[in-house]
Amino acid sequence: VAAYDFSLERSETGRAKCGCRFVHVTDSEISEDSSYNRQWISEVRQTAHTEKCAFIVHTGDICYLKGMQLHAQLMNTQNMGMPMLYCLGNHDLVEGDYGEQAFEDLFGPSRYSFNAGGIHFLVVPMTEGWDFRPGYDEDELADWMRADLALVKPNQPVIVFSHMLFHAKN
């Protein structure tokens, strides 16, 4: 598919029964500490605060070890003034004991879930197309997702963050 085309419409009441605002960033692929990178990061921070967001999420391709180190320095919970969450992309799987080792050392687990605004969020790493082999496989991720979702309340909205489309057999 070359493009996904869809519209968003405001609800009739203008308010959802549950929900929260967040800023979503992806594929920043930074490799240097430049004024340009500091500017767009500052704009993300300002937007997130202006819009009263609950968190900022980056869904991958932070970009290799140097990019991940720079993001950890320039875009973290402390200096963004709110939770800064990261999701593993293919260019974030780098050489190590397992592909996601450096990511986990800098940002924490490569898969996790949380609740915000009455919504259940899952952050799921890639299952294929990585630069270095991860320490998990798609069956393990599918089992983890099933176990996590089994704990979600009936009718609770669920949002999944991942760097890739799911093609896993499970």
Side-chain angles (χ1 to χ4, degrees), residues 39-108:
Q39 178 62 35
W40 73 257
I41 290 170
S42 176
E43 290 170 5
V44 167
R45 179 186 312 104
Q46 182 178 355
T47 299
H49 285 278
T50 299
E51 295 298 322
K52 297 177 175 57
C53 292
F55 60 89
I56 302 167
V57 61
H58 191 304
T59 56
D61 278 4
I62 306 157
C63 218
Y64 305 112
L65 183 57
K66 186 174 182 180
M68 288 190 289
Q69 291 168 333
L70 282 168
H71 269 280
Q73 174 191 350
L74 299 174
M75 210 171 184
N76 58 58
T77 295
Q78 183 177 348
N79 63 25
M80 297 306 278
M82 67 182 56
M84 182 69 224
L85 310 173
Y86 282 96
C87 183
L88 188 69
N90 53 301
H91 297 319
D92 309 322
L93 287 151
V94 298
E95 190 170 7
D97 292 338
Y98 51 97
E100 69 274 25
Q101 182 178 22
F103 176 95
E104 290 179 342
D105 289 347
L106 290 164
F107 304 114

Side-chain angles (χ1 to χ4, degrees), residues 96-129:
D97 292 338
Y98 51 97
E100 69 274 25
Q101 182 178 22
F103 176 95
E104 290 179 342
D105 289 347
L106 290 164
F107 304 114
S110 62
R111 63 177 169 235
Y112 54 97
S113 65
F114 62 97
N115 292 313
I119 300 171
H120 186 70
F121 294 88
L122 285 94
V123 177
V124 182
M126 300 191 60
T127 59
E128 58 185 32

